[in-house]
Amino acid sequence: MGRDTAADASRSLRLLASDDLRHHPSTGPQARRSTPSTPGTPLNLAMVDYLTSAVGEVVAHARTVTDELAPLPERVEDIYAWYIDQTSDADADEQAYRDTLIETQRLEHAVRLGETDEVCKEPCPRCGCWGLMWEAGRARCSNRKCRTPGGISSSWSPSRLAAQKIRRTEIWRRNAT
């Protein structure tokens, strides 16, 4: 796990932090309305808030694990390499949490960039089939027989998919030796 997932998450974070996405999205024709008395914000504040919360979550966990942190990197895409370096001496549970957080953010970044097919590369946590689809903010299983006790199709959050992937990788790693 680790470096490859962190590199993918870093690339996605760099794309999300680009000027093209931080500026307000252009909108099409709108219904007539009165002209606002103040200008709109020059940035897409939702994207800025998302980037701030993603980096803040990484830094908050690094602070709980390490007493003395190195300075934050200047470029936002270097945050995951910094995170791995800062938590490399942590116990196994903290490193598993770190890997899960990086994988979760990698999936969330990909979905935010419109790459929902990244979710389809994961198996369903309930039935194990490879037919997940991104729908309404969750990964839904396309297997007709994979249902909740209430009869609704199974759906999963990116954090649940990430936790399953980390657990599966750890099992493979243990069985390989």
Side-chain angles (χ1 to χ4, degrees), residues 44-154:
N44 182 352
L45 295 179
M47 186 60 70
V48 172
D49 290 343
Y50 174 76
L51 294 171
T52 303
S53 70
V55 170
E57 194 174 5
V58 167
V59 171
H61 182 249
R63 279 195 180 121
T64 62
V65 173
T66 307
D67 294 331
E68 294 183 26
L69 291 177
L72 288 174
E74 290 184 20
R75 298 181 330 179
V76 71
E77 63 263 20
D78 295 336
I79 193 74
Y80 296 113
W82 173 87
Y83 186 32
I84 290 171
D85 290 339
Q86 295 303 305
T87 57
S88 62
D89 295 334
D91 63 352
D93 291 337
E94 294 294 342
Q95 287 186 7
Y97 180 82
R98 174 200 64 202
D99 294 342
T100 304
L101 180 61
I102 291 172
E103 179 64 23
T104 300
Q105 288 192 0
R106 183 190 72 80
L107 288 173
E108 289 172 349
H109 298 340
V111 166
R112 211 166 248 278
L113 286 169
E115 297 173 3
T116 56
D117 58 334
E118 285 296 315
V119 173
C120 303
K121 295 177 183 176
E122 303 298 326
C124 175
R126 179 169 283 141
C127 69
C129 75
W130 295 86
L132 292 180
M133 300 178 297
W134 187 255
E135 181 181 293
R138 294 181 64 83
R140 296 211 179 272
C141 184
S142 60
N143 185 351
R144 285 188 354 214
K145 296 177 183 176
C146 185
R147 303 280 180 184
T148 63
I152 300 170
S153 67
S154 300

